[in-house]
């Protein structure tokens, strides 16, 4: 039975809100608020109460929290990671409480995941009356939603640039996302995903035998959240390019590929550079070996691990004779400048392919 007094919310990242919604409502039995899509207002709100030189993902998170609080959320949640992201939760909570907002806060970085007691005590922040059995039953379905979202988006980014009817992939996928909200169990979700996988595969495309492939690498948030990188995947698709990206929850969290990728990149990076940097290097090598014509690194301004990866990526570029373009995003980044550089990158890659 849903605890109607609790309204939970994670900050946006890609379309994972639909998976978070499932585990919160079916597992923790609390209402879940999907915040409004990230917009300029989100960034403006977050920037006003964030430290000036903090990375842009922090500002986006703050903006999402503020919009969620406006809409009635009273239980905010934050994920954790291998960089300053581990400190986001405590800082988010402190700033918002100091600004006068009243809410409870579930910080995944504060949980000792090896201690059942710690896990249980922190889970009770979300719902003091929760059933650990129901949470356990909801986890497999939630993981299935994560994997399906990543699978669908992989397929779309490789084919959307060649659709015969503009907007058909986007419309079909949005329809699928909307229907996930009504799913009540794993059986229903499996049936729904099977139906929409057929629909996506049935969309007509006019794809040439040889296409230009480009690989996207970069920090966890910026490479996945489309608004933060000015919808780069869609821009590349407009040029008729296949876009490849491995940075997602399926690869990094569910399949735990990070250690394998660090080994894969060992020739170029002997030590762990932190966060997603070694994965960025490994993915760039993989994309180069698999025939991508170019690689784009997407990162937030000031992301130290990704900055450390940049000179190493130049070595990859030299060894594999593949161009690599670097983008740093913050609240002042020019959308026009991004599009101009992408157009020039495409022209260069196309010219190289022609030779």
């Amino acid at each position: 039975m849903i605890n109607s007094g609790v309204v939970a919310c994670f900050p946006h990242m890609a379309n994972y809100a639909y998976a978070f919604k499932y585990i919160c409502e079916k597992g923790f039995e609390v209402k879940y608020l999907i915040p409004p899509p990230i917009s300029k207002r989100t960034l403006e709100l977050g920037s006003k109460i964030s430290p000036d030189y903090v990375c842009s993902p922090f500002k986006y998170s703050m903006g999402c929290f503020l919009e969620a609080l406006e809409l009635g959320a009273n239980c905010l949640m934050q994920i954790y990671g291998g960089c300053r992201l581990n400190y986001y939760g405590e800082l988010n909570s402190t700033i918002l409480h100091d600004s006068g907002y009243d809410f409870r806060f579930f910080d995944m970085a504060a949980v000792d995941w090896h201690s059942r007691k710690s896990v249980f005590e922190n889970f009770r922040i979300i719902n003091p009356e929760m059933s650990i059995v129901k949470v356990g039953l909801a986890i497999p379905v939630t993981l299935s939603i994560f994997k399906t979202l990543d699978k669908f988006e992989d397929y779309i980014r490789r084919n959307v640039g060649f659709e015969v009817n503009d907007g058909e992939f986007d419309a079909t996928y949005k329809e699928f996302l909307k229907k996930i909200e009504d799913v009540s169990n794993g059986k229903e979700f499996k049936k729904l995903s099977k139906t929409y996988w057929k629909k996506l595969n049935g969309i007509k495309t006019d794809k040439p035998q040889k296409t230009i492939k480009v690989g996207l690498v970069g920090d966890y948030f910026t490479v996945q959240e489309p608004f933060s990188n000015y919808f780069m995947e869609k821009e590349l698709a407009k040029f008729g390019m296949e876009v490849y990206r491995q940075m997602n929850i399926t690869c990094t969290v569910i399949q735990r590929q990070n250690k394998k990728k660090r080994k894969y990149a060992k020739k170029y990076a002997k030590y762990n550079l932190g966060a997603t940097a070694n994965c960025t290097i490994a993915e760039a090598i993989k994309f180069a070996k698999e025939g991508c014509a170019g690689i784009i690194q997407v990162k937030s301004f000031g992301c130290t691990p990704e900055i450390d990866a940049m000179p190493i990526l130049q070595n990859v570029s030299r060894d594999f004779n593949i161009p690599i373009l670097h983008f740093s995003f913050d609240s002042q980044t020019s959308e026009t400048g991004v599009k101009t550089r992408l157009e020039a990158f495409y022209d260069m890659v196309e010219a190289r392919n022609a030779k």
Side-chain angles (χ1 to χ4, degrees):
M1 185 177 179
I2 294 284
N3 182 338
S4 57
V6 181
V7 182
C9 177
F10 268 102
H12 263 307
M13 185 174 69
N15 291 300
Y16 294 135
Y18 295 90
F20 293 137
K21 180 179 173 70
Y22 184 88
I23 194 166
C24 283
E25 295 192 346
K26 306 303 177 187
F28 290 101
E29 296 186 303
V30 298
K31 287 183 180 178
Y32 187 84
L33 171 72
I34 297 179
I38 289 181
S39 63
K40 286 183 180 179
R41 180 177 185 266
T42 311
L43 185 56
E44 286 169 2
L45 286 173
S47 298
K48 282 180 183 177
I49 62 171
S50 299
D52 286 341
Y53 295 104
V54 74
C55 56
S56 52
F58 183 91
K59 296 175 183 177
Y60 281 115
S61 292
M62 290 299 287
C64 276
F65 285 144
L66 288 167
E67 289 181 319
L69 288 166
E70 286 175 358
L71 294 171
N74 56 20
C75 178
L76 305 182
M77 304 167 160
Q78 184 58 281
I79 58 172
Y80 68 108
C83 61
R84 285 175 288 188
L85 179 56
N86 270 347
Y87 304 101
Y88 277 18
E90 188 174 348
L91 194 53
N92 290 144
S93 178
T94 300
I95 292 172
L96 289 169
H97 276 127
D98 287 349
S99 300
Y101 293 97
D102 183 27
F103 58 91
R104 61 181 75 178
F105 198 88
F106 172 65
D107 182 5
M108 291 178 71
V111 184
D112 178 359
W113 296 98
H114 299 289
S115 164
R116 291 182 182 180
K117 183 181 178 183
S118 176
V119 171
F120 185 73
E121 286 177 353
N122 280 276
F123 276 180
R124 290 187 66 190
I125 294 172
I126 303 170
N127 182 4
E129 300 170 3
M130 64 132 201
S131 161
I132 199 71
V133 174
K134 289 184 179 179
V135 173
L137 291 172
I139 287 174
V141 185
T142 305
L143 294 178
S144 180
I145 295 173
F146 279 129
K147 288 190 283 187
T148 302
L149 292 174
D150 289 334
K151 176 185 173 183
F152 281 19
E153 290 183 16
D154 270 347
Y155 181 80
I156 291 169
R157 71 173 64 94
R158 294 179 189 185
N159 292 281
V160 68
F162 312 98
E163 61 184 354
V164 174
N165 302 311
D166 287 346
E168 195 170 356
F169 272 111
D170 195 41
T172 304
Y173 189 52
K174 282 181 178 176
E175 189 179 291
F176 170 67
L177 293 175
K178 192 66 183 172
K179 292 200 173 182
I180 294 176
E181 294 190 60
D182 299 323
V183 164
S184 58
N185 55 55
K187 191 176 179 180
E188 283 184 18
F189 179 72
K190 189 175 181 180
K191 185 179 178 182
L192 179 70
S193 57
K194 195 174 180 180
T195 298
Y196 275 86
W197 181 241
K198 283 184 180 178
K199 284 189 177 184
L200 286 174
N201 279 269
I203 293 174
K204 289 183 180 180
T205 58
D206 184 15
K207 197 172 184 178
Q209 203 166 23
K210 288 185 177 181
T211 60
I212 297 176
K213 300 174 183 176
V214 62
L216 243 59
V217 300
D219 82 67
Y220 202 70
F221 180 90
T222 312
V223 78
Q224 291 191 82
E225 174 47 53
F227 187 89
S228 72
N229 60 48
Y230 294 111
F231 300 92
M232 187 173 287
E233 291 176 2
K234 287 187 177 181
E235 289 300 316
L236 292 167
K238 288 177 184 177
F239 296 122
M241 302 175 86
E242 279 190 63
V243 182
Y244 287 74
R245 169 166 65 79
Q246 282 197 321
M247 185 56 66
N248 55 41
I249 282 184
T250 299
C251 290
T252 58
V253 179
I254 300 173
Q255 296 177 354
R256 297 174 180 266
Q257 291 184 11
N258 289 13
K259 286 186 179 179
K260 291 180 183 177
K261 287 180 179 178
R262 281 201 288 269
K263 288 181 181 178
Y264 197 70
K266 205 163 187 178
K267 179 184 172 184
Y268 292 89
K270 186 177 179 181
Y271 302 103
N272 183 10
L273 301 176
T276 54
N278 291 70
C279 292
T280 289
I281 297 161
E283 288 164 14
I285 296 167
K286 188 173 187 292
F287 290 145
K289 286 182 175 180
E290 290 178 351
C292 282
I295 294 167
I296 298 175
Q297 183 198 24
V298 176
K299 68 180 187 64
S300 63
F301 177 78
C303 179
T304 307
E306 289 295 325
I307 291 171
D308 290 340
M310 288 174 70
I312 301 173
L313 288 175
Q314 290 308 308
N315 293 336
V316 174
S317 174
R318 179 200 62 216
D319 292 350
F320 290 92
N321 190 29
I322 185 170
I324 298 181
L325 181 64
H326 307 276
F327 278 96
S328 287
F329 291 89
D330 63 12
S331 54
Q332 306 302 319
T333 302
S334 162
E335 184 175 359
T336 304
V338 171
K339 289 183 178 180
T340 302
R341 290 183 67 200
L342 285 178
E343 190 173 349
F345 181 73
Y346 169 72
D347 289 340
M348 177 189 65
V349 167
E350 189 181 37
R352 283 167 62 95
N353 263 24
K355 288 181 181 179

